[in-house]
Amino acid sequence: MLLGQLNAAASPLSQEQVQKLQGLVAELNPIQQAWVSGYLAANANSAALGGQAPTTAASDAAPLTILYGSQTGNAKGVATKLKEQAESRGLAVKLVSMSDYKPTALKKEKFLTVVVSTYGEGEPPEDAETLYEFLTTKKAPKLDGVKVAVLGLGDSSYEFFCQTAKDFEERLNKLGAETIFQRADLDVDYDDEAATWITGALDAFEPDLKAQQDAAGGQVVAMPFGAPTAAASQYTKQNPFEAELVTVQKITGRDSTKDVRHVEISLEGSDITYTPGDSLGVYFLNDEVRVDELLAHTQIDSSSTVKVGDESLSIREALIEKLELTQSYPGFVEKYATATGTPELLKLVEDKAAMREYIEPRQIFDVVAQNPAKLEAQTLVDCLRKLQARLYSIASSQSEVEEEVHLTIGLVEFEAFGSEHLGGCSGYLARRAEEGCKVKVFSEHNDNFRLPTDDNTPVIMVGPGTGIAPFRAFLQERDSREAQGKNWLFFGNPHFTQDFLYQVEMQGYLKSGLLSKIDVAFSRDQAEKVYVQDKLRKNSKEIFEWLEAGAHFYVCGDANRMAKDVHNALVDIISENTGKSYEDAEQYLKDLRSANRYQKDVY
């Protein structure tokens, strides 16, 4: 029965309760409604069991708490599998995003697992920042007697591989917690190793958890906790959907220094849903010409049969479809150096700084081309890691485009060693893929980058370059919901005439009133370069007024420069309008972040 059809005769609720419930449901999106439904069901189950505590049957029976910090969803996915495996063993378990976890609750924990990713220069993901910092303060409690296990996810292409996980374990140990299962630092191809770690960690925790549950002698009741979760699709990173590539359209001018493509992909025939703020994972094919060159450099017969995981196929197919050949990382150089005995590469293995300097300008294609050697086909495969999907911020709302998903993709292109180099996925979509072909995709939900649930809330969006993508989705969504909240967009790029992405759409939104304000920064159109952070400072008083009026502030784009510059501008704006010190202005922003009013989607 629909809520709108409820009446006093058909419902155990009073008319007043029905009206309150209708009012609440009207404010919630489908994901939130599903979470509330689960919460109420668990609550009712708890009451039916005689009012037992929702997590365990007795208050002294502590659950296994799984804390996750996830930038792109991978750590959340592994943490969810850990929870499922624990529950299958009959263990009491609580899965919590670090963004929803009160750091002071640490003093109540007995059994703790941390699953956390690392991004940027060894930094914690957005949702882990508060807890990460809390562990170094005087407020952090002693954790003597607490048993912990930590799992890190990262990318060995970067210097500070899994640094956040290392930091978490070190800080928890300093507070007295005992590591009862060895930390694992997992690279991008982590599925098998994650499964092994989960089994080992649960084997270590299970005896104590079972002993206390048996002593409590009660039944464990599952209860949803933390951020609401979207209905799962059958199509995932491990099982992507073969979607039709409908449109690839260049949206920068002929004389632009950038090549940006608007991409439209059909999701017809799938059950994939997404919410503005989510990302789309896209698998791609490596360049066949460069694959053939690589085979020539290693003197491998292209028809040789190899195994990638459990799958048998030709080496040429494997290199085109299954293996990473563009993004360099130390592990490949080390394995290739050992397999070929190349003296120059073997020297790099002993010098981490020299290794980083070496791989920076080189794709894997280059490493092999500059160090040719005869290899067995399977030996080459064993040197490489599996090809990873690239994640792109979704640039559309399903309420407007229905069974499609749109992306805004900047082509990665550069000259090196006498030839043109292209990014793996951007090069495929912009140069090699033809409209009408099939691409394998999946959606990656991001609960840390969401529009406010109240449509009357004002929002400020800062998205230079392709960072405009999720804000196009935000605006489409707010338009379809007829949201009354004000919208202010800051956009930047080099030139107005060449690089104003989605100009007609944005000006249309400005004309209709959906966009209350738009401030643009075209950095090369005048002698003095102007960026989005400069435009923010110019609007200091009004931005602060919006924040004080409850506005949500969003940033999307480059993590290392732009996002840091925007953050510093915000600190200055707050300090300037309040007289607060730098430290107090930073705390103001931390409070905004804790209230989910300052959100970043950066890369």
Side-chain angles (χ1 to χ4, degrees), residues 354-368:
M355 173 72 83
R356 291 285 165 198
E357 191 176 336
Y358 177 81
I359 66 175
E360 176 65 28
R362 289 173 172 82
Q363 295 182 333
I364 286 174
F365 287 120
D366 298 315
V367 176
V368 175

Side-chain angles (χ1 to χ4, degrees), residues 290 294 297 336 364-372:
R290 299 206 70 186
L294 186 149
H297 291 312
Y336 188 77
I364 286 174
F365 287 120
D366 298 315
V367 176
V368 175
Q370 294 167 17
N371 301 278

Side-chain angles (χ1 to χ4, degrees), residues 202 218 266 270-271 295 325 336 344 402 414 467 498 517 522 544:
L202 290 177
S266 171
S270 77
D271 61 351
L295 288 169
L325 295 176
Y336 188 77
E344 291 80 2
E402 298 179 342
F414 59 97
Q498 304 293 320
K517 297 191 70 168
F522 294 104
F544 186 71

Side-chain angles (χ1 to χ4, degrees), residues 133-168:
E133 291 172 6
F134 175 81
L135 292 175
T136 63
T137 67
K138 292 179 181 178
K139 293 182 180 179
K142 292 295 182 187
L143 298 178
D144 298 328
V146 178
K147 296 185 176 180
V148 302
V150 177
L151 179 66
L153 299 185
D155 183 342
S156 62
S157 305
Y158 294 92
E159 183 175 356
F160 300 98
F161 176 56
C162 287
Q163 187 61 46
T164 303
K166 296 170 187 175
D167 291 345
F168 262 105

Side-chain angles (χ1 to χ4, degrees), residues 125-136:
E126 288 282 304
D127 54 1
E129 283 183 2
T130 300
L131 181 61
Y132 180 83
E133 291 172 6
F134 175 81
L135 292 175
T136 63

Side-chain angles (χ1 to χ4, degrees), residues 225-256:
F225 193 98
T229 52
S233 166
Q234 64 178 303
Y235 297 107
T236 62
K237 181 179 179 181
Q238 291 76 27
N239 179 40
F241 174 67
E242 288 201 0
E244 181 184 346
L245 182 63
V246 178
T247 301
V248 180
Q249 178 184 0
K250 188 176 180 184
I251 55 174
T252 42
R254 182 184 304 169
D255 298 323
S256 173

